[in-house]
Amino acid sequence: MPSYRSLFRTPEFTPLFLASAAQTAAQTMGGLALGTLVYRATGSPLLAAVSMFGPALAQVVGATLLLSGSDRLPPRTALSAIAAVFAAGTAFQAVPGLPPGVLLAVVLLLGLVAALGGGVRWGLLNEILTKDGYLPGRSLFNILNGLTQTVGFATGGLLLAAISPRACLLIAAALYLTAALTLRLGLTARPPRTTGRPSVAATWHTNAVLWSSRPRRLTYLGLWIPNGLVVGCESLYVSYAPGAAGTLFACGALGMLAGDVTVGRLLTPAVRARLATPLLLLLAVPYLIFAAHPPLLVAVGCVTLASVGFGASLVQQERLMSLTPDALSGHALGLHSAGMLTMQGVSAAVAGTLAQVTSPATGMTAMAGASVAVTVWLALAGRAPARNSVVRADAEA
């Protein structure tokens, strides 16, 4: 398996990696600034939350309308154009006097574009790396994402204490523009992975082809649901321990980092293939302890241990790529990303509702229990023989 260091000797990996870092930093800083701006203008926690997490919910719409472009557009042009659109949209949000409704409309439009961006980016990563290089490459991107989010939120918080939210939005727009230039100048011109024009009909057709395969369908459900339900648990950190939510988030990031490095770099393919279900169970089971309202030290240990289970996503992505024709890799990965983010947003809303009528601890326990139940059902369903062959569906792709 390639080492992390060897990945940077692969042409085009470094500019794609650096551009992703700039975009993640821009997203975290810009989201925090926009949430602050909307809350100051409206006093509404709901609108502030939607302004920060609305793009995740909008991705489900993007997945049904735009994903065909993931494999039907030239990657360099598509990625640099998407980053430029985010730069323009973020700069527009900094215009003084815009009503909150306009700001939220821009957020949702950018969320639609983000659904396409994920498919193009991960499809290109799968294309520029060798077959055994995708998993360590995606692991390195996951590590980058966690570290950049931590630094981005910390930096955004410091900047908001020193300058206005609108100035922070302009800084985020500059980071998006930097990413666009890095992609344009650092990537080579590649043709689309498949022929045909992007369209809503093509998106629906390819979604149907991908969904028609029972093994792929179960893999998608495993990527979306158990993970999303546990993110619902994470969304209650603030209400569970208001004075220690930052500690819980930091320990969760540490556990996720350990899981990504272990799965992406240390385990052999044979071992990885057997770990999807155990890792998904590890992701949820420690949260069941929250039913007993554990003290902070125990809660920190549970969160850290559970977050190692996020490494299951790498195992499942590797399986998804083994089940998907190369010509559909971008669309398949975009569908994974959009569905995962959508489920996370929905789960956060459900968890918040449960906590509102019961308690944060009860809400976390319920979401974790649901995640365990779904994981067990998926494991049993995966052992059952498929009723229909999927060869014909893949041939039609």
Side-chain angles (χ1 to χ4, degrees):
M1 179 184 295
S3 66
Y4 286 149
R5 181 178 298 178
S6 68
L7 295 175
F8 290 99
R9 295 195 291 269
T10 302
E12 301 183 83
F13 180 85
T14 298
L16 187 63
F17 187 83
L18 294 177
S20 181
Q23 288 176 287
T24 301
Q27 180 183 3
T28 53
M29 292 175 59
L32 184 60
L34 184 62
T36 301
L37 185 66
V38 170
Y39 185 72
R40 289 179 182 177
T42 65
S44 169
L46 176 60
L47 291 178
V50 170
S51 68
M52 292 185 68
F53 298 103
L57 295 175
Q59 292 227 15
V60 68
V61 181
T64 61
L65 299 178
L66 304 176
L67 269 184
S68 64
S70 299
D71 297 302
R72 290 175 169 82
L73 294 173
R76 183 179 69 173
T77 301
L79 287 174
S80 56
I82 289 169
V85 168
F86 268 82
T90 304
F92 177 75
Q93 290 171 332
V95 174
L98 292 178
V102 174
L103 294 174
L104 295 177
V106 175
V107 166
L108 296 177
L109 287 174
L110 292 179
L112 295 178
V113 176
L116 173 61
V120 178
R121 181 186 302 111
W122 304 130
L124 177 60
L125 182 66
N126 186 60
E127 187 175 349
I128 65 178
L129 296 179
T130 59
K131 286 295 183 183
D132 62 343
Y134 175 80
L135 189 134
R138 188 63 189 264
S139 171
L140 192 56
F141 269 83
N142 287 355
I143 294 169
L144 166 77
N145 187 64
L147 293 175
T148 306
Q149 282 188 354
T150 301
V151 174
F153 278 126
T155 304
L158 292 174
L159 287 174
L160 284 172
I163 58 179
S164 69
R166 288 188 174 87
C168 289
L169 285 170
L170 291 176
I171 294 174
L175 285 171
Y176 279 125
L177 185 59
T178 300
L181 293 173
T182 301
L183 292 165
R184 184 65 186 178
L185 299 176
L187 299 179
T188 59
R190 289 172 177 265
R193 282 178 291 274
T194 191
T195 58
R197 299 179 62 181
S199 67
V200 174
T203 298
W204 290 357
H205 171 73
T206 306
N207 284 344
V209 169
L210 291 171
W211 195 251
S212 66
S213 161
R214 185 173 184 273
R216 275 198 302 262
R217 189 162 60 246
L218 292 175
T219 302
Y220 273 125
L221 293 175
L223 281 163
W224 295 342
I225 303 178
N227 172 309
L229 290 168
V230 170
V231 170
C233 298
E234 293 182 339
S235 71
L236 299 178
Y237 287 171
V238 173
S239 54
Y240 179 82
T247 301
L248 293 174
F249 276 115
C251 290
L254 179 63
M256 186 184 302
L257 175 63
D260 283 335
V261 172
T262 301
V263 174
R265 189 72 193 95
L266 302 180
L267 300 180
T268 64
V271 173
R272 283 199 307 268
R274 297 193 296 268
L275 287 183
T277 296
L279 285 170
L280 287 177
L281 290 173
L282 177 63
L283 183 61
V285 168
Y287 281 101
L288 298 176
I289 298 175
F290 279 81
H293 296 78
L296 180 61
L297 187 61
V298 176
V300 164
C302 290
V303 166
T304 305
L305 179 62
S307 296
V308 174
F310 279 113
S313 176
L314 293 174
V315 180
Q316 293 165 311
Q317 287 178 60
E318 187 174 42
R319 174 170 171 75
L320 178 63
M321 287 296 92
S322 71
L323 296 169
T324 303
D326 289 341
L328 300 181
S329 61
H331 193 122
L333 290 167
L335 186 60
H336 145 57
S337 179
M340 179 186 67
L341 291 172
T342 300
M343 187 63 195
Q344 289 177 358
V346 170
S347 294
V350 172
T353 302
L354 286 174
Q356 188 75 28
V357 299
T358 56
S359 71
T362 300
M364 294 167 80
T365 305
M367 300 301 284
S371 182
V372 170
V374 171
T375 296
V376 171
W377 174 79
L378 287 171
L380 294 175
R383 295 177 182 176
R387 296 181 180 178
N388 300 304
S389 173
V390 300
V391 174
R392 182 180 302 172
D394 283 344
E396 291 175 356

